[in-house]
Amino acid sequence: MAQQVQGVIAPGKNEPVRVETIVIPDPGPGEAVVKIQTCGVCHTDLHYKQGGINDDFPFLLGHEAAGIVESVGEGVTDVEPGDFVVLNWRAVCGQCRACRRGRPWYCFDTHNAKQKMTLLDGTELSPALGIGAFAEKTLVAAGQCTKVDPEVSPAAAGLLGCGVMAGIGAAINTGEVGRGDSVAVIGCGGVGDAAVMGARLAGAARIIAVDIDDRKLETAKKMGATHTVNSRTTDPVEAIRALTGGNGADVVIEAVGRPETYKQAFYARDLAGTVVLVGVPTPEMQLELPLIDVFGRGGSLKSSWYGDCLPSRDFPMLIDLHQQGRIDLGAFVTETIGLGDVEQAFTRMHEGDVLRSVVVF
Ligand code: APR
Ligand code: ZN
Ligand code: ZN
């Protein structure tokens, strides 16, 4: 029997979001219905609302979520009703060339639930990042559910579903930060702060946080930054070089997504260092570089997609570390809010006062 729940939709470009009744079908083959416990408010939700991702309105927003599996469809064996799970963007196929080469984050055949959730009048909803978890329940592909330790705080666990995983993974998976490395993180919002946390976890000796906002630099220190640079007043490339014996950092993580910060990352690395690009640029942005510098600098330039994570490997591991007190995922939760407060949370996010507002059901 299809069921009706409350969820937050973005009805049209730049229109305020609102709570509506959502119709959720029973899970079909390979699908699961999850009762959501918490869902973080991410920039990507705001981008959906602004029409910056695509025009498939109305969207059912929310995608950084944890909850309990309520029911599963035919053929689902990895999770069962009652399991506590963190949701991820897409289920991977496990069969394609990327999956077989151990890089499922580049899977050619990822998928979400096949059936659609709708409004009461039958209008089909597009779930944000294939999830749609600003809702009491949501329908996903069962492969989007990763079972984790049910003792963990759901608000902390849910954040692994997106930004925090992207940042930690940029450091530990893509950047392969090693013991004793020097790491610079340019842009210390939620993603950059998570990269700082990942660098500390990996044993980096120096972690240089760069931002244009002093409030962000203070938070980055709490996450593990050993040095901070305000790039509004100080040239970050020179500052990073000065803090690394004139060499540049072993790993530079860019978490803004702008030409000037891509360029800073390029020049702030050690000649044999790695640049990890996790900030997402817009399609029209361009970067011009002297080819001699591209040729003359060794090392590598990598982009990081969802922190190059393997949810089944990384979510339980990070939750274990959190439960042991070795990382604090709760540090990203600035406030908990209700389903009706999402529009206001977007405003606060825009003003830069919060790392994460988390909707709690
Ligand atoms: N130099 C340094 N820092 C900057 C600059 C700049 N020119 N411009 C903005 N920043 C800082 C902001 O002050 C803020 O602290 O970058 C940070 C961006 O943080 P958020 O807006 O909170 O964004 P976040 O969620 O962390 O995502 C960052 O990563 O995954 C991507 O799509 C995401 O592109 C986005 C980026
Ligand atoms: Zn695949
Ligand atoms: Zn997100």
Side-chain angles (χ1 to χ4, degrees):
M1 273 282 286
Q3 36 182 338
Q4 297 180 5
V5 301
Q6 297 300 105
V8 176
I9 68 152
K13 191 167 178 160
N14 283 323
E15 288 176 33
V17 303
R18 61 170 188 255
V19 178
E20 284 270 356
T21 301
I22 311 293
V23 180
I24 303 196
D26 280 345
E31 294 175 345
V33 169
V34 179
K35 190 169 187 309
I36 303 299
Q37 292 181 309
T38 66
C39 184
V41 182
C42 173
H43 274 85
T44 306
D45 295 305
L46 180 59
H47 291 160
Y48 273 109
K49 172 193 144 160
Q50 293 168 334
I53 310 251
N54 60 53
D55 286 328
D56 300 338
F57 290 99
F59 294 107
L60 175 58
L61 297 180
H63 61 273
E64 294 189 351
I68 307 275
V69 175
E70 181 187 77
S71 54
V72 298
E74 203 186 305
V76 174
T77 51
D78 286 350
V79 289
E80 57 184 25
D83 283 349
F84 176 64
V85 295
V86 174
L87 300 180
N88 71 72
W89 300 345
R90 303 178 78 75
V92 298
C93 78
Q95 311 287 327
C96 71
R97 182 174 143 82
C99 282
R100 280 192 275 108
R101 294 181 85 206
R103 295 176 185 165
W105 48 90
Y106 290 127
C107 175
F108 304 155
D109 194 21
T110 56
H111 60 281
N112 300 118
K114 302 255 177 330
Q115 299 184 87
K116 295 284 184 189
M117 294 180 275
T118 65
L119 294 175
L120 279 176
D121 67 2
T123 306
E124 291 188 352
L125 292 166
S126 307
L129 286 170
I131 296 178
F134 288 148
E136 294 160 310
K137 295 177 187 176
T138 195
L139 174 77
V140 291
Q144 291 177 257
C145 299
T146 303
K147 200 174 157 175
V148 298
D149 181 357
E151 298 297 316
V152 69
S153 136
L159 296 187
L160 285 178
C162 182
V164 172
M165 185 68 246
I168 295 181
I172 68 175
N173 292 335
T174 320
E176 298 179 286
V177 170
R179 189 173 63 241
D181 278 355
S182 55
V183 176
V185 177
I186 302 178
C188 295
V191 174
D193 275 345
V196 168
M197 182 179 277
R200 175 159 74 176
L201 180 64
R206 286 202 160 201
I207 305 173
I208 305 159
V210 180
D211 205 290
I212 49 175
D213 182 339
D214 282 328
R215 293 174 303 170
K216 302 288 183 166
L217 294 172
E218 281 311 307
T219 321
K221 271 192 210 161
K222 293 194 190 113
M223 301 288 181
T226 58
H227 299 78
T228 59
V229 175
N230 186 323
S231 55
R232 207 186 271 292
T233 51
T234 309
D235 178 338
V237 175
E238 279 178 20
I240 292 166
R241 290 222 183 109
L243 287 164
T244 53
N247 300 314
D250 295 309
V251 181
V252 183
I253 298 168
E254 198 281 359
V256 184
R258 299 192 49 81
E260 64 272 23
T261 44
Y262 265 51
K263 194 166 181 178
Q264 290 161 5
F266 181 82
Y267 284 107
R269 80 177 191 273
D270 178 270
L271 282 180
T274 302
V275 175
V276 178
L277 304 168
V278 59
V280 183
T282 59
E284 59 281 0
M285 288 177 178
Q286 306 276 327
L287 179 60
E288 201 171 299
L289 287 170
L291 278 189
I292 192 68
D293 288 354
V294 178
F295 173 77
R297 305 181 73 84
S300 55
L301 195 60
K302 295 169 147 185
S303 58
S304 185
W305 177 242
Y306 203 170
D308 291 347
C309 79
L310 244 171
S312 58
R313 173 194 66 191
D314 295 335
F315 293 0
M317 174 200 51
L318 292 169
I319 283 173
D320 191 17
L321 291 169
H322 171 78
Q323 291 297 73
Q324 293 176 38
R326 293 165 66 186
I327 57 173
D328 179 13
L329 297 173
F332 292 95
V333 182
T334 314
E335 59 173 4
T336 56
I337 61 172
L339 203 51
D341 305 325
V342 172
E343 185 66 45
Q344 203 183 322
F346 283 147
T347 310
R348 291 201 62 195
M349 175 195 281
H350 199 70
E351 288 160 1
D353 321 328
V354 289
L355 273 179
R356 276 295 184 271
S357 306
V358 176
V359 175
V360 174
F361 292 87

